[in-house]
Amino acid sequence: MAKTLCSLGILLFFCSLFLKSETSHFVYNGFNGSNIVLDGYARIKDKALKLTDRSKNVIGRAFYRSQIPMSGNSSPNAISFSTHFVFQIVPSDTNRGGYGFAFILSPSTQLSGDGGQFLGVVNPSNDGNSSNHLFMVEFDTVSGHNQKSDRYGNHIGININGLNSIYSESASYYNGLTQRKEDIDLEDENPIQAWIDYDGLAVNVTVAPFPTISKPIKPLLSLPINLSKVMKDFMFAGFSASTGKRASSHYILGWSFKLNGIADPLDVSQISAIPAEKSSSSQNKLKRALITTFSVVLFLLVLALISIFTYRKVMKFEVLEDWELDCPHRFQYKDLYVATKRFNESEIIGVGGFGTVYKGVLQATGAQVAVKKITSNDTLKGTREFAAEIESLGRLRHKNLVNLQGWCKYKRNLLLVYDYVPNGSLHSLLYSSMGTVLSWEQRFNIIKGVASGLLYLHEEWEKVVIHRDVKSSNVLIDRDMNARLGDFGLARLYDHGQNSHTTNVVGTIGYIAPELTRTGKASKGTDVFAYGILLLEIACGRAPVTYEPDRNAILVDRILDCIQTGNILNAVDSKLNSTYAIEEMELVLGLGLLCSHRKPESRPTMKEVIRYLNRDEILPVFDKLNSVGSKRADLIRSRFMALGLADDSIVTTSSIPSSSAGEMSTSSFEISGR
């Protein structure tokens, strides 16, 4: 038995050595049949790894398929590594290209990076986050990140977790004979070789023309750094490139990688430069000459065809208006018609005040989308609401907001195309009759997600966005149970430092701040009020207003009754079966009441809300509060009263004049004052 166990142990030991060797050492003198994961535009062409072509606004990524063990057992530092690769950048034949590419070590092959200057690695919301655990060396051909305008770049930089280089130099190399620094153009359409070496103490980056110059003795970049806190135990190695308004083809022609040693040299005889991508100007001249010649003969026929085509075009499509010019991708109506099975009722996933939402599958890509078809008896009103949502959501990008993919305006049909969010709305999950119960952990995560999205709208985007309809049915839950705030049909935008000029009352009963009924002016504070009601709804599992005769009609009244009787936790959703963190629950209930205070000046900002939720600051109700049973309850009640939260200071929906009810439903939309 002992011999058997010993033999099995030896076998496992050698297997682990084999697997580690396979994942920590590889050489590709061409990529046909290689063990590479491709993402986005990336593809294998003529033995080369082509990350992008000269199309605008594309992203291409490629990773070695297996994870690489990046931590050593005998040292706190990250394990050493070395990589050698040959690349070639072919710019547009009309001007300088863009935007370059990066070698990256990442804990995942699934990156949420944007194109252009972000190189497909990160986006504005996660750029620089320490949780990214990214190491990258960028070969940048257009500088401009965090600068006012793009300009000629041609530099190489070492980056940690984002696009800001901690060390960079203009692309160059040290001549082996003279040790003079020679410039090298990353976009001169000739292959260039690069070496990246890390010995556990410093990163060295070296470049040189390929294949005429061997590896220079002196590196271009040498940065003392400890990567053990950056890299996780297992990482993926690969490349990412992107284009934007400018475009280049980005190729990797050969690649070798090795842990704890020097990467093997590449076989020059097996690596070939990509032939120059010829301009088609001469072909275009020939085509124009042929067209001109034939047009003389076919003039009358062509004129007739143009007339017919123009007539049908005018009849089929409406003229683009000013607001349409800066909007995101415009879909063809026929594609959305097919995607939603002719807007079949079986595909309906939601119905709101301004339209019906259908699930769709785009034939071209197979991607699932949500298509909102706006309906309105007032065509002008519907068009304005449509424009409002495109203008706001169309340019917003945040992980806790619903992403608008594009739009379509066809005759009297107004359509918006979003990412498909599979788990539906928070409202449907809270009040599900299918036995589904959101856990407290999931609810608290949703609360923090909505707060993060509102903070972005109020403080972090280029303009202030007032959502004006924060409620549970407008919070969608994605595949990972994260919250994404959507439905921006009532949103208003204005510049930071200015006040909103909105003068009409809109929203949903139960979430409308009391000052709206007096002034009609929406503000950050009115969004905070609605967010506070949402907190109470999530914690208590009850709608803001109910119509059951044996229960308190107003949710806030129910909570205040519980405070008066000495235990605020009696208001908590019974479906949780007391399975929740008491301090978190008290925090959410107290914060919900504070956010829904009748006095706008007494409400916190969303920045303060985030600090309370992250425990960076203590909510005034709970400051210096011990955890002794009845004494704690008495202290909480007295502090609520001291803050004006446990008497008649909370103005609930029951105090709103009934004559205003019609003006405050989600169907009351007016564009004036935007």
Side-chain angles (χ1 to χ4, degrees):
M1 181 66 177
K3 290 182 179 181
T4 302
L5 292 175
C6 182
S7 300
L8 181 60
I10 293 172
L11 179 61
L12 292 174
F13 173 76
F14 281 106
C15 286
S16 66
L17 288 179
F18 173 78
L19 291 173
K20 184 173 181 180
S21 173
E22 185 181 36
T23 60
S24 61
H25 176 210
F26 54 86
V27 180
Y28 293 129
N29 293 300
F31 291 88
N32 288 348
S34 59
N35 192 25
I36 299 292
V37 177
L38 304 177
D39 184 32
Y41 178 86
R43 64 198 63 186
I44 307 299
K45 181 180 180 181
D46 299 328
K47 292 178 59 178
L49 173 56
K50 188 173 186 179
L51 298 173
T52 74
D53 65 2
R54 293 188 291 184
S55 301
K56 295 182 179 180
N57 301 309
V58 298
I59 296 173
R61 307 184 190 95
F63 289 91
Y64 183 65
R65 183 178 297 275
S66 302
Q67 290 182 309
I68 299 173
M70 297 304 296
S71 62
N73 295 324
S74 60
S75 170
N77 295 335
I79 199 166
S80 64
F81 68 88
S82 172
T83 187
H84 176 206
F85 54 89
V86 178
F87 66 89
Q88 185 175 350
I89 301 178
V90 183
S92 168
D93 51 9
T94 57
N95 52 40
R96 303 297 299 185
Y99 282 82
F101 76 99
F103 167 81
I104 51 179
L105 292 174
S106 167
S108 171
T109 61
Q110 301 298 313
L111 301 179
S112 58
D114 287 352
Q117 294 149 355
F118 291 97
L119 301 181
V121 181
V122 294
N123 59 61
S125 65
N126 67 3
D127 185 17
N129 289 355
S130 59
S131 60
N132 292 340
H133 294 285
L134 284 172
F135 168 78
M136 61 185 282
V137 176
E138 62 174 20
F139 298 80
D140 217 348
T141 56
V142 175
S143 61
H145 178 59
N146 287 336
Q147 299 179 14
K148 293 183 178 179
S149 61
D150 290 346
R151 52 187 171 81
Y152 178 60
N154 201 57
H155 66 271
I156 300 171
I158 298 173
N159 301 7
I160 301 296
N161 293 323
L163 266 294
N164 289 325
S165 298
I166 56 178
Y167 184 26
S168 66
E169 290 281 356
S170 296
S172 55
Y173 67 98
Y174 289 92
N175 190 299
L177 298 176
T178 65
Q179 288 301 303
R180 289 180 54 190
K181 199 174 186 180
E182 305 283 350
D183 290 336
I184 187 170
D185 188 351
L186 299 177
E187 286 187 297
D188 71 350
E189 298 190 22
N190 292 314
I192 299 171
Q193 52 190 332
W195 297 264
I196 302 171
D197 304 293
Y198 176 65
D199 60 3
L201 300 175
V203 174
N204 294 322
V205 180
T206 311
V207 293
F210 177 84
T212 56
I213 304 294
S214 58
K215 183 179 182 180
I217 298 175
K218 184 177 180 180
L220 172 64
L221 304 176
S222 184
L223 177 67
I225 189 172
N226 184 353
L227 295 179
S228 62
K229 294 182 180 180
V230 177
M231 293 191 288
K232 291 193 172 183
D233 291 344
F234 292 90
M235 303 284 279
F236 290 93
F239 303 88
S240 181
S242 65
T243 65
K245 295 180 180 178
R246 303 179 182 184
S248 294
S249 295
H250 299 88
Y251 295 90
I252 307 297
L253 307 180
W255 182 23
S256 69
F257 185 96
K258 190 173 187 179
L259 287 180
N260 298 325
I262 302 301
D264 293 342
L266 298 171
D267 188 344
V268 175
S269 65
Q270 296 187 46
I271 297 177
S272 302
I274 297 298
E277 298 179 5
K278 300 294 184 181
S279 169
S280 59
S281 58
S282 59
Q283 296 179 1
N284 289 336
K285 290 180 181 179
L286 178 60
K287 289 180 180 178
R288 286 196 294 268
L290 291 173
I291 291 173
T292 301
T293 302
F294 281 109
S295 65
V296 174
V297 179
L298 303 174
F299 175 78
L300 293 176
L301 178 61
V302 171
L303 183 61
L305 291 174
I306 290 175
S307 300
I308 295 172
F309 178 79
T310 303
Y311 174 78
R312 295 179 65 180
K313 194 80 171 177
V314 170
M315 292 298 293
K316 187 174 181 180
F317 297 104
E318 298 181 47
V319 177
L320 287 177
E321 301 172 21
D322 292 341
W323 61 266
E324 298 179 73
L325 300 178
D326 297 325
C327 294
H329 175 65
R330 182 173 185 172
F331 284 88
Q332 297 233 355
Y333 179 77
K334 65 177 183 178
D335 294 334
L336 301 182
Y337 186 75
V338 172
T340 57
K341 299 179 181 178
R342 299 179 295 180
F343 295 102
N344 195 297
E345 289 186 1
S346 64
E347 303 305 303
I348 294 177
I349 56 177
V351 178
F354 281 106
T356 304
V357 183
Y358 298 82
K359 179 182 177 181
V361 179
L362 299 176
Q363 270 195 333
T365 62
Q368 292 183 325
V369 293
V371 181
K372 180 180 180 181
K373 188 174 185 181
I374 294 178
T375 56
S376 175
N377 294 328
D378 184 343
T379 304
L380 179 60
K381 175 190 270 190
T383 302
R384 285 174 171 173
E385 188 273 339
F386 179 72
E389 191 146 0
I390 290 181
E391 285 181 356
S392 54
L393 186 57
R395 292 181 288 123
L396 297 172
R397 287 295 180 269
H398 191 273
K399 64 181 181 180
N400 294 115
L401 301 180
V402 176
N403 179 39
L404 177 66
Q405 292 191 13
W407 58 282
C408 173
K409 184 162 79 79
Y410 172 69
K411 296 183 179 179
R412 298 173 66 89
N413 295 291
L414 307 176
L415 306 164
L416 296 171
V417 183
Y418 303 94
D419 289 341
Y420 175 67
V421 184
N423 284 324
S425 72
L426 172 61
H427 183 275
S428 63
L429 293 175
L430 281 176
Y431 308 110
S432 172
S433 59
M434 305 298 293
T436 303
V437 178
L438 288 173
S439 68
W440 175 245
E441 182 181 2
Q442 291 171 329
R443 298 187 196 205
F444 195 62
N445 181 58
I446 289 168
I447 285 168
K448 295 173 75 173
V450 177
S452 179
L454 282 174
L455 176 63
Y456 173 77
L457 296 178
H458 288 183
E459 307 290 346
E460 298 177 345
W461 195 52
E462 63 190 48
K463 288 181 177 292
V464 177
V465 181
I466 306 301
H467 187 279
R468 299 210 302 167
D469 203 15
V470 176
K471 58 181 178 179
S472 58
S473 59
N474 284 342
V475 176
L476 302 184
I477 308 302
D478 67 16
R479 197 178 310 279
D480 299 319
M481 298 305 292
N482 295 313
R484 299 178 68 177
L485 183 60
D487 202 339
F488 282 67
L490 302 183
R492 293 292 180 269
L493 289 77
Y494 57 90
D495 293 329
H496 288 278
Q498 294 184 355
N499 294 322
S500 171
H501 299 294
T502 302
T503 56
N504 59 317
V505 180
V506 294
T508 302
I509 289 180
Y511 300 90
I512 299 175
E515 66 268 20
L516 267 176
T517 63
R518 299 191 302 272
T519 66
K521 290 188 177 181
S523 65
K524 297 178 186 177
T526 58
D527 273 359
V528 172
F529 181 94
Y531 175 74
I533 298 298
L534 179 67
L535 293 188
L536 303 179
E537 182 179 5
I538 293 173
C540 301
R542 287 185 51 177
V545 182
T546 57
Y547 300 99
E548 300 177 34
D550 58 337
R551 304 176 71 183
N552 284 342
I554 308 303
L555 174 58
V556 175
D557 289 348
R558 159 72 175 161
I559 298 170
L560 297 181
D561 284 347
C562 293
I563 293 174
Q564 294 293 347
T565 56
N567 191 354
I568 191 174
L569 296 179
N570 287 340
V572 174
D573 189 355
S574 60
K575 288 186 288 187
L576 288 173
N577 290 323
S578 299
T579 306
Y580 53 83
I582 291 177
E583 291 188 358
E584 285 182 354
M585 180 63 76
E586 289 179 338
L587 170 62
V588 169
L589 290 170
L591 185 56
L593 290 173
L594 188 60
C595 287
S596 57
H597 199 288
R598 70 178 180 87
K599 296 179 180 179
E601 64 273 14
S602 297
R603 300 170 199 155
T605 64
M606 289 311 302
K607 188 174 293 186
E608 291 171 329
V609 168
I610 292 290
R611 289 201 291 266
Y612 290 140
L613 291 173
N614 291 336
R615 304 300 180 88
D616 296 329
E617 290 186 14
I618 300 176
L619 198 67
V621 175
F622 305 110
D623 188 22
K624 299 179 181 179
L625 190 65
N626 62 35
S627 57
V628 179
S630 61
K631 292 183 179 180
R632 177 186 177 90
D634 291 341
L635 284 171
I636 290 175
R637 183 170 66 249
S638 63
R639 291 187 179 185
F640 273 125
M641 295 179 68
L643 289 172
L645 295 175
D647 53 17
D648 60 355
S649 297
I650 300 292
V651 176
T652 65
T653 309
S654 60
S655 64
I656 298 173
S658 60
S659 60
S660 302
E663 297 177 356
M664 291 180 287
S665 68
T666 50
S667 62
S668 59
F669 173 84
E670 178 57 50
I671 197 71
S672 61
R674 181 172 178 75

